[in-house]
Each structure stands twice: as structure tokens, then as C-alpha cells.
């Protein structure tokens, strides 16, 4: 956790690597993932860099791998996962890989082309077979029709029989089924009704050799007379992409041709099976190494792409690169450089040099799988400035706690915690799965957050004594009902009574508590009390105010860590002190009054000390409003004290005046300090210049004249230029006054608005409890009212409905609502007190990160 308190200390390093060792050194650094390289060739076109040809070779290899993978997946060949990621290949090995991939691609293309050609021939033979089989009834001789086949005679009209005796031509073929209606209309129009079309549908779909899609087709025969109609019909067939096939005139020729077609189909089917078997063997052997090849090519491409960020020195014998890295990982980079030199066999070692710079380094927060989810919540709002306090460390506790205040229900908390625990236990299995939805990935990334939210919600559920809108009586209720306040028809100890239901109002006046309060949380008697909502409303609202003040004061206190680290000691006195005093003088005092009220005005004082009884309990909100308006308060009832203790008005006036003093300190303190500092620095600069001129005059009187080309003059000119540069970069005082005024007004107003914003803890907690109670009473309880075996069926049905609504509404939707409100309380109300979030993330050169990004894009 110590690494999360503040981002890692970064250093800007300059690398001097021999060209032959550069590839191996970056390969080692990519495996470690500890350096973010800077582009030293921003002015050079991407196509003019040194290693652009190697990058293009890698692109070509990736294209071949994508083609091979598409063919493998097209044939549903399983691609085994990689157990251990291979390292980046040696540049010499890539030649063999390139040749192997080129040969594999050529073989697959050749097999694919052969398969397509064979399937095209097979499809043509299948269609020809269907043409010969389906048109048997269309080409019966007149003798067969008259003497032997009355069915076919009835099918063929007399007009056609007469035409067959003459010179009647025909065209046979196959067309897609959905094009048949348009095809018939077009034939009718071009022939003016002089074409007789017969068709028969093919029952089984036929596969397209190119795309693999299946189509339903229809066999047709068009009878006509005259060569002119024949030409028109063929043009229509070409327009509708119909396939025409030769069909003999006599039945004997058709039978002989059909037998030949069937024989050729059997031979072609055998060849197709052998081709598919050979293709399957090739793809299975390739699939075993496909993932390894893809990872190796991806790593090699990343290395050459990073090498393009390097600059070649003047002698062209050394590559120079710059990178950001954590100071603690400098030895790791040095070891990677040494391993790269030894792997390449270079005799000249590569080395690293640390550069001093004023440029703001990237922010690197070291995380693990537990803290990564909380860090992501902060980074979505804004990356922390360099070495700024990291709010994620405190968010690990405060985020699930504030969520639990709004989601306090033991039953719902168990469901949420169980879901988070399942994600954690099965994280290896889930992480290995591919094609997960984006929503599920979000849940999986926040699995530890979900688990903690469930655990914390279980605790607050115990405090609220709320389990699916019901309470449990474990330690025994401390409330006793005063029998004299009940109606006369109410009976005790098993005596007979009416079916009337009575609601008891728990008040110290009419009831009393016996012994100590309930051991943990709320007394279960409040569940059946008529004034439960009034009590919980007051309790949870005060609880929200207490949490708000503590959380905001803690946020202001965290700013001291930034002031001390960045040595802004003046900000401690001029910003932190007035800010925290303003919160304490106003809102911490309101919290103190809440605790005073809870302590002094107890229900046990009723009848003993009437001035400190529950009836005389004052309103803390009225006290606070009167204090802000300098208005006198009034006693709640006759005989009660106006104030909770003597001297309260004096204390409140002191606090108000103290808060008013804090505002001008925040507004004027820092600008006045900057003005004084600038005046002093200018005086010192003027004195230094005057002393320099006097020294030059004395030197000129005693020795030679000082020319404008000497080293002394150049130093004076350099100092003067530096001073003018500083003056130019200084922020004008007008902008400082405006910014400080905006910051002061924003902070003063935010103390009120942010405190009120925490009341969402109270509102969502009450809404969640009431919605749970309504769902129980209006859904599940309907099944409990029916007796007998029918009641069992009703309980089963209504329990299922209640369970679905509980998961969908109370756990999922209410949980998401509470999560978003908790996120807002951290981003705005808490982090605005100390967090700037103006940095940029550290993005190291890491093979693991590159492979994960490629997998997400592919998924």
C-alpha cells in the first residue's frame, strides 16, 4: 500500500545502444515493461525512418497470418491456446518464418482455388442432373403420352402436343428460386406470350462454391418456336443469372447422359473428399503454431516501431533514445541493455545516462490486481499530477463504506458479496475466456470492489438491523410497551382479542426502555413502530452530516502532504489553516451540537429532569441557521432551556467571527505574499546589476576597457536574458487575483453545497429500505396469506417473482445508483479538496500490454 500513497519517482534516461544490440535490448525491455520511450524523430516522416522496411515486413507477415487464421476458422479448426508466451524471434530466424508463411499461404490458396474449381464443376453436374431428372415429364414422346402414360398426357395440353410434332425448340436451365416470378414476367413480355415455361423446384439447397452460402434453385424448361425467340430467351436468362444446360431431345439420350453425369459425380465427390482431407491436415498442422507466430510477429513489429523513435548519432554507429522510467527500475534497464549486448555478441557495451530536466514526468502508480480497480476509478476522473497524493489509497476504505451507507441491507449485501467472491475465485478461468461482453468485463475488472462493497454493506445492514426489509431480534429488545396507552380490546398473554392490528408508536413518554440499549445497531422494536420512518429519517440525516464533515476535513488534511512534499510551506498557513478552520468553525460545530443533543436530551430523563427530556430536545438545524443569521433562538416548549448549555451564544458568535476572518485570509494572503516576494527579488536583481556596473567601471579605470565581445560581457548578457525569460513566464498579478478570488468563492460556497450533497447518503438509504419493504409487502407476502397446499404453490410462484425483482431492482439497479452517487462524492466532494489531476499516465513499452490491446481489438 505504501507504493500507492504517491506516484513513483521518475527519471529521464538517455540510452546509447549499438545498432546490432538494439533489437535484443528492446526485446528484454519489452518483456519487463518499465520504460516509456520518447519520439526523437518528430520532424521526420513515418515513411522515411530507419526501420520502416522492417515494419513493412512485419505488416506483410501479419497479413499472411490473418489470411491463414481466417481460413483455419472458416473450416472450424480449433486453435490451441498458448501456455507460455514465446519471446521475440531472432532477426535471422524471421527469414525462415517468412519463407514458411509464404509457402503455407501459397499452399492454402492453391488448395482453396482447387476446391472452388472442383465445387464449381460439382455444382454444375448437380444442376445438370436435376435438369435431366426434373424434365423427364416435359419431354415424353407423343406415342408414350397417347398409349402408356395418361397422367403425363393430362399434364401436356393439346396445343403443346401439336407443336411437338412441328419444329418446337426449348431451353433448359436452373435459376434461383426468388428470381422465378420476375423471370416469368420478363419471358412473357419479350415473347408476347409465345413461350411455354415449365418449372420444377429442387428440394435440397445447393451450396455456392465461392461464398459457401446455400441457395434454393428451380429447374425450368422454356419452349418456343423460331430462332429469334431463342436469342431473346437466352438474353433474359443471362440477365437473371440463370445457368443453361444442354438437354437431348430423345429420352434414350437423356437417360444415357444422366448415367454419365452420375458417374462423373461419384468420381468428383471422391476427389473432393481427398482435397478436403488434405486441406484439413494442412490447416490442423498450421493451427498448432499460429498463436506462437502471431505473438512473435507482434513483438518484432513493436520492437522495430520503437526503434523508429530512436535517433542515429552523427557517426551512424550508435542509436540514441530517451525514455521515462521509475528511478527504482534503473538497474533493471541497465541489466536489459547488458543482456542485449551479450545476446548480439557486441563487444561495445550499451549504457544509460540520466538527464536533468524541468519537464513534468509521467505519473506511474504501481498497482496489483486488488488495487487496480480502485486506481481506475481515480484515473477516469483525471491522472494525478507527478508525485501528487494518490486518492486511490484512501478510496479502498472510503468508497465501499459510503456505498454501504446507502445500500445497508444484509440480504442484498450477501448476494453482492457472493457475486464478487465468485468472480475472484474463478478469475483465472474467466480471464482465459474470449469474447466476453463489455459490461461483464467492467464487472470483472471491479470484482474486488464488488466484494468489499458487499462486506461493508453487510456491516451497515447489521447496524440498520435490516435483512430483506425485516429485522432480527438476537439480543432481545430493550423497549417495553406501556399497557395503559393501548386500547381496551387489546389482550396479552394469549387472551382472546379481536383481529384488529395495532401499530405501536415508540416514544419515551408512552413507553420505556428496560436496561441497556440494543447490543448492535437498531432495536428490532422499531420495525413494528408507527414512527419508524420519522426516527430513521432523523437518525440517517444526522449520520450523513457527521460522515460529510469528517470526510471533507480529512480531504483538506490530505492537502498538507502535497504542500510539504512540494515545499509550499506558505500554503500551509494561507490555504490549509483557513480552510480547515472554516470547516471546523461552522460544520464541525454542527456535528458537535448533534452529539451534545444525543448526550443531554435522552429519553430516560423524561419524568426525572424535564428540561433535559426528549420533549425539550432542540433542533440543531434551527440552531445553525440562527447562528448564521445572528438571530436569537427560542425554547422548543415552555419550561425548556433556550440553549443546550450556558455560554452557547458566545461560543457561536466567536465561531462565526472566526469563520469570517478565514475568508479574507484565503482571498488576500497568497496574492500579497507573491507581490512581496516579487518586489524583493526585483530589488536583489537591481542591486546585483548595479554592483556589476560599478565593478566594470573600476576595472576600466585601472586596467583596459571592457569590450562587448569579452567573456564577462557574455555572462552579463546571459544572466539578463535568463531574468527576462523568468519575467516573461511569470503569471501577471491580475490573473493571480482573479484565480484566487474564484478559488476562495468556490471553496466557501462548496462547504455548504458539498455538505448538502452528502445528504444523498440519507436519501438513498431510506429509498432502498422503503423499496425493499414495499416489494416484500406487495409481492412475496401475497403468497404467505393463502393457507393449505394452494398456499405452497403461491409461495413458490411469488417467491420467484420477488427474487427476480430483488435481483433486478434492489441489487442491480439500486446498487448501480449507489455506486454512481459514491463515485460523485469522491470525485467532487472529497478529491476537490486536494487533488489537481493534471498529469499524464505512464505508458511503458510492454509486450503484455500490446498483446492485450490486440486481443481486445480482435475480440
Amino acid at each position: 500500500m505504501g507504493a500507492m500513497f504517491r506516484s513513483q519517482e521518475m527519471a529521464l534516461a538517455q540510452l546509447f545502444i549499438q545498432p546490432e544490440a538494439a533489437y535484443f535490448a528492446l526485446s528484454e525491455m519489452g518483456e519487463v515493461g518499465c520504460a516509456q520511450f520518447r519520439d526523437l524523430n518528430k520532424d521526420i516522416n513515418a515513411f522515411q525512418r530507419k526501420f520502416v522496411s522492417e515494419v513493412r515486413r512485419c505488416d506483410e507477415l501479419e497479413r499472411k497470418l490473418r489470411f491463414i487464421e481466417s481460413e483455419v476458422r472458416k473450416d472450424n479448426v480449433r486453435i490451441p491456446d498458448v501456455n507460455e508466451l514465446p519471446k521475440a524471434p531472432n532477426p535471422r530466424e524471421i527469414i525462415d518464418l517468412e519463407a514458411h508463411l509464404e509457402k503455407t499461404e501459397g499452399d492454402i490458396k492453391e488448395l482453396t482455388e482447387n476446391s472452388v474449381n472442383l465445387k464449381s464443376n460439382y455444382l454444375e453436374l448437380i444442376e445438370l442432373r436435376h435438369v435431366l431428372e426434373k424434365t423427364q415429364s416435359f419431354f415424353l414422346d407423343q406415342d408414350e403420352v397417347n398409349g402408356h402414360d395418361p397422367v403425363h398426357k393430362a399434364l401436356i395440353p393439346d396445343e403443346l402436343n401439336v407443336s411437338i410434332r412441328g419444329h418446337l425448340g426449348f431451353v433448359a436451365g436452373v435459376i434461383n428460386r426468388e428470381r422465378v416470378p420476375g423471370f416469368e414476367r420478363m419471358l412473357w413480355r419479350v415473347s408476347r406470350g409465345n413461350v411455354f415455361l415449365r418449372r420444377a423446384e429442387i428440394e435440397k439447397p445447393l451450396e455456392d462454391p465461392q461464398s459457401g452460402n446455400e441457395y434454393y434453385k428451380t429447374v425450368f424448361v422454356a419452349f418456343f418456336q423460331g430462332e429469334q425467340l431463342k436469342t431473346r430467351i437466352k438474353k433474359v436468362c443471362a440477365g437473371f443469372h440463370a445457368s443453361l444446360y444442354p438437354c437431348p431431345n430423345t429420352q434414350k439420350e437423356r437417360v444415357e447422359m444422366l448415367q454419365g453425369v452420375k458417374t462423373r459425380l461419384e468420381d468428383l465427390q471422391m476427389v473432393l473428399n481427398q482435397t478436403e482431407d488434405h486441406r484439413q491436415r494442412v490447416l490442423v498442422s498450421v493451427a498448432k503454431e499460429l498463436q506462437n507466430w502471431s505473438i512473435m510477429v507482434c513483438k518484432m513489429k513493436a520492437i522495430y516501431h520503437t526503434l523508429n523513435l530512436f535517433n542515429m548519432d552523427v557517426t551512424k554507429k550508435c542509436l540514441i533514445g530517451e525514455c521515462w522510467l521509475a528511478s527504482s527500475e534503473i538497474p533493471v534497464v541497465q541489466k536489459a541493455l547488458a543482456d542485449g549486448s551479450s545476446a548480439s555478441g557486441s563487444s561495445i557495451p550499451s549504457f544509460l545516462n540520466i538527464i536533468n530536466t524541468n519537464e513534468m514526468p509521467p505519473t506511474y502508480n504501481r498497482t496489483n490486481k486488488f488495487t487496480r480497480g480502485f486506481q481506475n476509478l481515480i484515473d477516469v476522473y483525471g491522472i494525478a499530477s507527478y508525485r501528487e497524493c494518490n486518492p486511490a489509497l484512501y478510496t479502498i476504505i472510503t468508497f465501499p463504506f459510503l456505498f454501504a451507507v446507502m445500500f445497508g441491507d444484509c440480504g442484498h449485501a450477501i448476494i453482492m458479496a457472493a457475486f464478487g467472491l465468485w468472480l475472484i475465485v474463478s478469475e483465472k478461468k474467466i480471464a482465459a475466456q474470449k469474447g466476453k461482453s463489455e459490461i461483464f468485463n467492467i464487472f470483472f475488472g471491479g470484482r474486488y470492489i464488488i466484494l468489499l462493497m458487499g462486506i461493508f454493506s453487510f456491516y451497515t445492514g447489521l447496524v440498520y438491523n435490516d435483512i430483506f426489509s425485516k429485522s432480527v431480534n438476537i439480543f432481545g429488545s430493550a423497549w417495553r410497551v406501556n399497557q395503559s396507552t393501548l386500547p381496551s380490546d387489546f389482550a396479552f398473554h394469549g387472551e382472546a382479542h379481536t383481529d384488529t392490528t395495532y401499530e405501536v408508536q415508540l416514544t419515551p413518554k408512552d413507553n420505556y426502555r428496560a436496561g441497556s440499549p440494543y447490543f448492535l445497531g437498531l432495536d428490532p422494536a422499531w420495525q413494528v413502530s408507527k414512527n419508524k420512518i420519522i426516527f430513521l429519517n432523523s437518525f440517517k440525516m444526522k449520520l450523513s452530516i457527521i460522515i460529510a464533515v469528517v470526510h471533507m476535513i480529512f480531504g483538506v488534511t490530505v492537502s498538507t502532504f502535497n504542500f510539504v512534499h512540494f515545499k509550499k510551506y506558505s500554503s500551509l498557513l494561507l490555504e490549509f489553516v483557513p480552510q480547515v478552520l472554516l470547516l471546523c468553525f461552522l460544520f464541525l460545530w454542527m456535528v458537535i451540537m448533534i452529539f451534545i443533543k444525543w448526550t443531554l436530551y435522552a429519553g430516560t430523563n423524561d419524568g426525572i429532569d424535564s428540561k433535559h427530556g426528549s420533549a425539550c430536545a432542540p433542533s440543531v438545524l434551527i440552531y445553525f441557521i440562527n447562528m448564521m443569521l445572528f438571530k436569537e433562538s427560542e425554547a422548543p416548549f415552555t419550561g425548556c432551556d433556550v440553549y443546550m448549555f450556558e455560554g452557547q451564544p458566545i461560543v457561536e458568535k466567536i465561531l462565526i467571527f472566526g469563520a469570517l476572518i478565514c475568508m479574507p485570509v484565503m482571498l488576500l494572503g497568497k496574492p500579497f505574499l507573491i507581490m512581496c516576494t516579487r518586489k524583493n527579488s526585483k530589488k536583489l536583481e537591481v542591486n546585483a546589476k548595479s554592483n556589476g556596473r560599478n565593478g566594470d567601471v573600476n576595472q576600466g579605470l585601472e586596467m583596459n576597457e571592457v569590450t562587448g565581445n569579452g567573456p564577462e560581457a557574455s555572462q552579463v548578457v546571459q544572466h539578463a536574458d535568463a531574468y527576462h525569460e523568468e519575467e516573461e513566464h511569470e503569471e501577471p498579478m491580475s490573473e493571480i487575483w482573479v484565480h484566487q478570488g474564484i478559488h476562495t468563492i468556490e471553496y466557501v460556497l462548496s462547504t455548504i453545497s458539498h455538505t448538502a450533497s452528502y445528504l444523498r447518503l440519507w436519501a438513498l438509504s431510506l429509498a432502498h429500505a422503503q423499496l425493499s419493504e414495499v416489494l416484500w409487502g406487495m409481492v412475496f407476502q401475497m403468497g404467505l396469506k393463502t393457507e393449505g397446499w394452494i398456499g405452497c404453490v403461491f409461495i413458490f410462484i411469488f417467491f420467484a417473482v420477488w427474487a427476480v425483482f430483488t435481483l433486478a431492482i434492489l441489487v442491480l439497479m439500486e446498487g448501480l445508483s449507489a455506486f454512481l452517487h459514491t463515485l460523485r462524492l469522491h470525485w467532487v466532494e472529497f478529491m476537490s479538496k486536494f487533488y489537481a489531476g493534471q498529469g499524464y499516465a505512464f505508458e511503458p513499452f510492454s509486450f503484455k500490454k500490446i498483446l492485450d490491446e490486440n486481443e481486445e481489438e480482435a475480440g
Side-chain angles (χ1 to χ4, degrees), residues 7-25:
S7 61
Q8 297 289 308
E9 187 175 354
M10 307 298 290
L12 181 61
Q14 194 172 29
L15 306 179
F16 297 89
I17 309 177
Q18 299 304 312
E20 61 272 13
Y23 181 90
F24 300 96

Side-chain angles (χ1 to χ4, degrees), residues 18-244:
Q18 299 304 312
E20 61 272 13
Y23 181 90
F24 300 96
L26 282 184
S27 175
E28 295 293 332
M29 294 175 69
E31 296 291 344
V32 178
C34 59
Q36 176 181 337
F37 291 93
R38 303 172 65 183
D39 191 0
L40 302 182
N41 302 316
K42 293 181 180 180
D43 299 332
I44 301 178
N45 192 305
F47 300 99
Q48 296 176 347
R49 302 198 179 191
K50 180 175 177 58
F51 299 96
V52 65
S53 58
E54 285 80 359
V55 174
R56 286 178 176 174
R57 286 179 62 191
C58 294
D59 288 336
E60 180 63 20
L61 290 176
E62 285 185 338
R63 184 198 62 78
K64 293 178 181 178
L65 287 172
R66 286 194 300 270
F67 169 75
I68 295 172
E69 184 178 1
S70 64
E71 294 295 322
V72 169
R73 295 190 184 280
K74 186 187 297 183
D75 285 23
N76 297 322
V77 178
R78 180 180 174 273
I79 301 176
D81 296 329
V82 179
N83 297 326
E84 185 178 355
L85 297 180
K87 290 192 173 182
N90 193 308
R92 298 173 184 174
E93 298 175 359
I94 205 63
I95 300 176
D96 298 335
L97 178 60
E98 193 173 13
H100 185 65
L101 288 180
E102 186 175 358
K103 181 179 182 301
T104 303
E105 182 189 22
D107 293 343
I108 294 176
K109 282 185 176 180
E110 184 178 357
L111 288 172
T112 302
E113 291 176 359
N114 293 337
S115 178
V116 169
N117 293 333
L118 290 173
K119 287 182 179 179
S120 299
N121 295 335
Y122 186 78
L123 178 64
E124 291 177 358
L125 291 175
I126 288 289
E127 291 180 348
L128 178 57
R129 190 194 71 186
H130 281 294
V131 168
L132 295 174
E133 291 177 348
K134 297 290 183 182
T135 57
Q136 287 291 345
S137 59
F138 304 155
F139 297 102
L140 294 177
D141 294 334
Q142 184 67 26
D143 297 336
E144 295 175 351
V145 174
N146 293 333
H148 303 286
D149 200 343
V151 176
H152 288 154
K153 179 180 178 181
L155 289 175
I156 301 178
D158 295 337
E159 298 83 16
L160 182 57
N161 292 334
V162 175
S163 301
I164 291 175
R165 297 193 193 97
H167 300 284
L168 186 65
F170 64 90
V171 173
V174 177
I175 189 172
N176 287 348
R177 187 176 297 178
E178 62 269 12
R179 295 177 181 172
V180 171
F183 180 65
E184 289 181 348
R185 287 194 298 269
M186 185 58 68
L187 285 179
W188 178 266
R189 289 173 182 173
V190 299
S191 66
R192 297 179 181 178
N194 293 320
V195 171
F196 181 73
L197 183 67
R198 299 296 302 272
R199 55 188 175 86
E201 295 180 352
I202 301 175
E203 292 79 8
K204 294 182 180 180
L206 302 180
E207 182 181 352
D208 187 2
Q210 296 290 341
S211 62
N213 298 327
E214 292 183 344
Y215 299 98
Y216 286 92
K217 295 191 175 183
T218 300
V219 176
F220 69 91
V221 177
F223 297 94
F224 59 88
Q225 192 170 17
E227 290 297 324
Q228 188 176 5
L229 275 179
K230 180 179 181 180
T231 304
R232 293 180 181 178
I233 292 173
K234 287 186 175 181
K235 289 182 178 180
V236 172
C237 292
F240 280 85
H241 300 284
S243 302
L244 300 180

Side-chain angles (χ1 to χ4, degrees), residues 508-509 596-597 600-603 605-607 609-620 623 634-645:
K509 180 180 179 181
I596 293 175
K597 177 182 176 180
L600 293 181
Y601 300 92
N605 295 332
D606 290 350
D609 184 3
S610 59
K611 289 187 177 181
H612 293 91
S614 59
C616 290
S619 173
V620 175
Y623 272 150
E634 298 178 357
F637 296 100
T638 304
C640 298
D641 292 336
V642 179
Y643 293 100
M644 290 187 288
F645 60 92

Side-chain angles (χ1 to χ4, degrees), residues 13 58 102 105 169 204 208 221 262 276 304 340 368 399 454 515 519 575 688 702 743 751-752:
C58 294
E102 186 175 358
E105 182 189 22
K204 294 182 180 180
D208 187 2
V221 177
K262 290 182 178 179
E276 289 296 328
Y304 285 122
N368 52 37
F399 191 91
F519 181 74
E575 290 188 18
E702 295 173 1
H743 179 69
T751 56
I752 303 172

Side-chain angles (χ1 to χ4, degrees), residues 479-495:
W479 282 91
R480 299 293 180 265
V481 179
N482 187 359
Q483 299 183 19
S484 62
T485 61
L486 295 176
S488 58
D489 59 346
F490 192 90
F492 292 91
H493 306 296
E495 300 176 9

